[in-house]
Amino acid sequence: MRDSKVLRISVTDRCDLRCVYCMPESGVTLVRPSDLLTYEEIETVARAAMTAGVRRLRVTGGEPLVRRGIETLVEKLARLNPDDLALTTNGLHLGEKAAALKAAGLRRVTVSLDTLRRDKFETITRRTGFDLILEGIEAAQRAGLSPVKINTVVIRGVNDDEVAEFVRFGERRGLEVRFIELMPTSGLNPECKELGAWRPALFVKGEEIRGKIVEAFGTLEAAPGADGVAKVYHLKSGARIGFITPISDPFCRGCERLRLSADGRLKICLFDKEGIDMKNALRARRAGVHEIAALIRGALKDKKKWERGSLDGLSSEMFKIGG
Ligand code: SAM
């Protein structure tokens, strides 16, 4: 699966959590429902992307499970027969939806979870629901979505003391935990009451996390079959863990991701602020699969020459493009 192109489809910018680093508590302008791509329009873009050489699809958000009838979209995407069909979620609704998603053709899920302590969960996400997420993870495993991966953003002074606990959690439950470096997104602005603006003091380098794990669990062995952006290792127990290091060791060269934002813009990078307006192409120009595929081929060509520049250029509204 390594080195095959992936389209990450953000189906909504709405989310039922408000993680302090990701989405401001208030003052966010959300995409009007009529400006979201319909499932039929998303299917057209995905079909065109596959014509242009994309082999893998991932559904994300905002929170993809809050968009009504998400199983219908998964079914449409599964019919395109991609090499992989995955979904990234906060896990709150997985308990109710895992079996239906599996039946619709979803292969696997990644669940974002930054802490294993209920009180801290409520501080980080500004919402309740910790137990629902644990139930959701179990439901995903029961439904046969496999592998289930956990994304954990590590923040100094917030959850960097839980690294070993996360590793054990993954070992016990057969989950691949991936530790992610904190990026400067719009949740982290001076008005953020909990953390304030992004600053080096909050940031924990992937190397440091790795060091803690080696100290506690012994040497790590590089694992084959990683997806190009995560560096994945085996522990002695055989469990897999990963590191995603967009800040300390950007993975631009291995990156085969295209992103479709909630408002229908195709982006070649998290640093691509403009993107290509697919909604306009589909609605105003009535473009079909053939024309959309030509736009996507152009984007893939541009991606080869793309240089991401400084961190200031990062698209700060991660909840619109899905991380
Ligand atoms: N709602 C879904 C979820 O919770 O996974 C999908 C969207 S969420 C924006 C996707 C991923 O982006 C999550 O794993 C989240 O932790 C990550 N993310 C958001 N802001 C981030 C930041 N500033 N640095 C690193 N990762 C971030």
Side-chain angles (χ1 to χ4, degrees):
M1 233 151 49
R2 202 191 175 99
D3 295 337
S4 69
K5 295 176 180 50
V6 55
L7 177 66
R8 298 172 67 95
I9 302 164
S10 173
V11 295
T12 178
D13 55 351
R14 280 156 215 270
C15 187
D16 40 7
L17 297 182
R18 283 290 178 281
C19 297
V20 288
Y21 53 83
C22 182
M23 199 165 175
E25 176 70 279
S26 58
V28 176
T29 313
L30 293 169
V31 177
R32 285 184 308 184
S34 60
D35 283 332
L36 291 175
L37 293 190
T38 64
Y39 289 159
E40 287 70 27
E41 288 169 333
I42 292 174
E43 182 189 9
T44 303
V45 177
R47 189 185 292 279
M50 292 189 61
T51 309
V54 166
R55 297 297 324 149
R56 296 185 283 148
L57 302 173
R58 175 177 290 272
V59 177
T60 177
E63 172 46 44
L65 301 190
V66 301
R67 183 151 172 192
R68 198 173 303 155
I70 192 69
E71 304 84 345
T72 317
L73 176 68
V74 168
E75 206 172 332
K76 286 180 188 299
L77 297 178
R79 270 196 238 116
L80 301 176
N81 203 20
D83 290 350
D84 187 26
L85 180 54
L87 179 139
T88 306
T89 174
N90 63 28
L92 275 176
H93 302 282
L94 261 184
E96 319 139 37
K97 291 194 183 268
L101 289 166
K102 172 73 180 170
L106 188 70
R107 306 247 182 103
R108 61 194 184 94
V109 282
T110 301
V111 180
S112 302
L113 183 64
D114 297 331
T115 178
L116 296 171
R117 302 184 196 159
R118 185 176 299 100
D119 56 337
K120 208 191 283 183
F121 174 86
E122 293 176 8
T123 307
I124 295 176
T125 66
R126 302 184 179 115
R127 298 289 185 271
T128 55
F130 178 72
D131 296 305
L132 280 178
I133 295 176
L134 295 187
E135 283 164 35
I137 292 169
E138 284 176 17
Q141 290 182 305
R142 265 199 316 274
L145 293 165
S146 174
V148 176
K149 298 184 185 177
I150 304 294
N151 272 356
T152 303
V153 177
V154 182
I155 310 169
R156 192 176 308 283
V158 176
N159 64 350
D160 57 330
D161 57 337
E162 291 189 62
V163 168
E165 266 170 77
F166 262 108
V167 173
R168 280 186 217 104
F169 175 75
E171 277 183 321
R172 255 193 336 267
R173 298 187 177 223
L175 305 161
E176 179 178 322
V177 178
R178 292 134 48 103
F179 296 100
I180 305 180
E181 287 178 349
L182 178 69
M183 292 185 274
T185 46
S186 64
L188 290 169
N189 58 41
E191 285 84 49
C192 172
K193 283 201 266 342
E194 294 83 355
L195 292 177
W198 190 92
R199 54 193 189 282
L202 294 174
F203 172 72
V204 186
K205 222 175 166 177
E207 217 22 64
E208 182 181 329
I209 305 167
R210 208 181 108 109
K212 283 188 186 194
I213 296 174
V214 170
E215 206 177 295
F217 297 90
T219 44
L220 299 177
E221 205 175 298
D227 65 6
V229 297
K231 298 180 193 82
V232 182
Y233 298 88
H234 281 299
L235 295 164
K236 281 200 182 121
S237 63
R240 283 163 68 96
I241 53 162
F243 301 93
I244 302 180
T245 55
I247 305 285
S248 70
D249 185 13
F251 33 75
C252 301
R253 216 174 277 162
C255 173
E256 297 267 21
R257 298 173 166 191
L258 288 178
R259 295 179 155 85
L260 185 62
S261 69
D263 55 355
R265 290 188 167 267
L266 185 81
K267 303 195 174 192
I268 55 179
C269 174
L270 283 174
F271 287 70
D272 175 6
K273 286 204 166 137
E274 276 305 303
I276 302 172
D277 191 344
M278 290 291 167
K279 183 163 43 87
N280 185 56
L282 287 159
R283 293 186 188 173
R285 303 212 313 269
R286 296 187 178 279
V289 170
H290 191 68
E291 199 181 324
I292 299 287
L295 291 173
I296 295 175
R297 281 195 195 92
L300 286 167
K301 248 190 215 154
D302 290 344
K303 188 170 171 70
K304 284 198 183 131
K305 298 177 282 184
W306 178 261
E307 297 207 8
R308 74 175 218 183
S310 78
L311 274 181
D312 303 337
L314 180 69
S315 275
S316 63
E317 295 188 311
M318 194 72 91
F319 55 92
K320 288 216 162 100
I321 38 179

